Amino acid sequence: MGDLTMLRSRHLLGIEDLEPAEISLILDTAVAMKEVGTRSIKKVPALRGRTVVNLFFEPSTRTRLSFELAEKRLSADTMGMTTAGSSVVKGETLIDTARTLEAMSPDMIVVRHACSGAAHVLARVCRSSIINAGDGTHEHPTQALLDAFTIQGRKGRLAGVRVAIIGDLAHSRVLRSNVLLLTRMGAEVVACGPATLIPVGLGRMGVTVTTSIDEACEGADVLMMLRVQHERMHGLFLPSVREYFTLFGLTAARLARAKSDAIVMHPGPMNRGVEIASDVADGNQSVILDQVANGVAVRMAVLYLLAGGEQNEGA
Ligand code: CP
């Protein structure tokens, strides 16, 4: 591990705010956290007496449950709130909801929201540490961190690794966080999708942009497929799902264009037969379930470091 032992900010709002040394610190800390998950008693006292609120205004399986598990493995007290069953359905605003929760003195709030910038708004009005668990089409920092942890675990490094990110680029916070992280850590990133789903300015983020999936797959070490986000499409971006799969779906033939030891990733949830063929998703080059497992270790690392890391342990 390097010299750095703490993160500069008490919030994790995006990869945008992290320096390479901080990314390395999180990834190195996650190695130790992963070891905790191999023990018969998968629990350490690092966050004993700390309260974490999980505030999910959008559906989630992986992120919400892995944050909950990470918090429990660190011995934190946790509370969860989703839109359904809360006063949000009666019209309570995000800020009023956050202030209400703050009155109960949590130490950290993990938030997922459909609006880009929602986590930043909370960071301005709350005393608690805010962790962005996905805000609109903006960022999903812990997803990019767990993706990097998975790539580093399989390839031994991030620098120089060729990563092709393919799919619905326009609506993807996973793309944005991964591009920021991977380029910052010296990886070579190629982004591929239909011309209607390429965000303006992507080429200026240090990535090669193409509409040819064959070109994107050629020589890649990592193929990262992105979900077609129908729920965020308010217009006609795709002629049909069938045509999308024909032009942009990852098939075994396209995978064969990548390096022979290439890994296949997907943040989930997957649309099988849309962005990825089932035999590829379940094949021996797929690390999709490793990503899920690594999500727990990486989120433990983030929670631990935001709570003060080694300094907190001495408290
Ligand atoms: N990757 C991801 O964010 O999945 P969930 O929506 O299930 O949390």
Side-chain angles (χ1 to χ4, degrees):
M1 204 181 284
D3 293 339
L4 199 67
T5 57
M6 282 182 73
L7 299 176
R8 288 173 305 143
S9 172
R10 65 193 174 90
H11 306 297
L12 177 62
L13 303 179
I15 299 298
E16 201 158 25
D17 306 321
L18 295 179
E19 291 180 350
E22 295 180 293
I23 294 168
S24 296
L25 174 64
I26 295 170
L27 301 183
D28 289 344
T29 306
V31 174
M33 296 301 172
K34 193 167 178 171
E35 188 277 323
V36 173
T38 64
R39 299 179 191 170
S40 56
I41 296 174
K42 301 173 178 55
K43 211 170 175 80
V44 289
L47 290 196
R48 194 163 51 201
R50 302 290 185 116
T51 306
V52 186
V53 176
N54 299 305
L55 200 50
F56 279 73
F57 293 92
E58 270 194 327
S60 170
T61 298
R62 283 147 281 268
T63 312
R64 186 168 64 83
L65 293 179
S66 63
F67 262 115
E68 272 181 39
L69 189 54
E71 291 151 12
K72 288 183 164 75
R73 287 191 177 168
L74 292 170
S75 305
D77 297 318
T78 69
M79 300 193 290
M81 203 204 87
T82 54
T83 305
S86 75
S87 286
V88 173
V89 293
K90 299 177 199 164
E92 191 161 52
T93 65
L94 170 65
I95 291 179
D96 282 338
T97 302
R99 286 191 171 135
T100 301
L101 294 168
E102 276 255 303
M104 301 177 210
S105 304
D107 296 285
M108 297 186 200
I109 298 175
V110 177
V111 61
R112 168 171 288 193
H113 201 282
C115 293
S116 299
H120 290 74
V121 170
L122 291 200
R124 277 200 293 276
V125 300
C126 294
R127 290 181 304 275
S128 319
S129 288
I130 305 297
I131 302 176
N132 183 0
D135 63 326
T137 57
H138 177 233
E139 278 225 43
H140 192 350
T142 57
Q143 180 68 46
L145 287 161
L146 75 88
D147 290 340
F149 186 74
T150 305
I151 295 170
Q152 194 164 268
R154 290 289 178 142
K155 300 290 164 197
R157 68 195 199 289
L158 294 173
V161 172
R162 182 178 162 94
V163 183
I165 308 179
I166 301 163
D168 178 354
L169 308 174
H171 301 103
S172 181
R173 53 198 177 204
V174 175
L175 166 80
R176 201 176 138 71
S177 289
N178 262 294
V179 166
L180 288 167
L181 189 155
L182 291 167
T183 54
R184 217 156 273 191
M185 300 306 279
E188 182 193 345
V189 181
V190 180
C192 170
T196 51
L197 291 175
I198 295 176
V200 176
L202 183 59
R204 290 196 296 274
M205 291 180 76
V207 308
T208 304
V209 180
T210 176
T211 54
S212 162
I213 187 169
D214 289 345
E215 188 184 315
C217 289
E218 204 67 51
D221 295 292
V222 177
L223 296 173
M224 185 184 292
M225 305 309 294
L226 298 176
R227 183 170 69 86
V228 174
Q229 300 193 39
H230 296 288
E231 76 276 19
R232 293 193 211 278
M233 290 189 197
H234 306 292
L236 198 61
F237 290 90
L238 305 171
S240 73
V241 161
R242 193 181 161 138
E243 187 168 317
Y244 183 86
F245 182 69
T246 305
L247 293 173
F248 294 98
L250 184 62
T251 58
R254 286 177 173 147
L255 174 56
R257 290 179 170 269
K259 289 196 180 139
S260 57
D261 63 348
I263 55 172
V264 174
M265 303 178 73
H266 193 304
M270 283 183 280
N271 293 311
R272 289 171 183 262
V274 180
E275 66 261 2
I276 189 165
S278 266
D279 61 335
V280 174
D282 301 329
N284 58 15
Q285 286 172 266
S286 170
V287 297
I288 294 168
L289 294 179
D290 290 0
Q291 289 173 264
V292 177
N294 289 337
V296 179
V298 166
R299 288 174 176 127
M300 284 173 78
V302 167
L303 291 159
Y304 170 78
L305 290 168
L306 290 179
E310 287 169 15
Q311 275 79 358
N312 172 51
E313 286 192 290

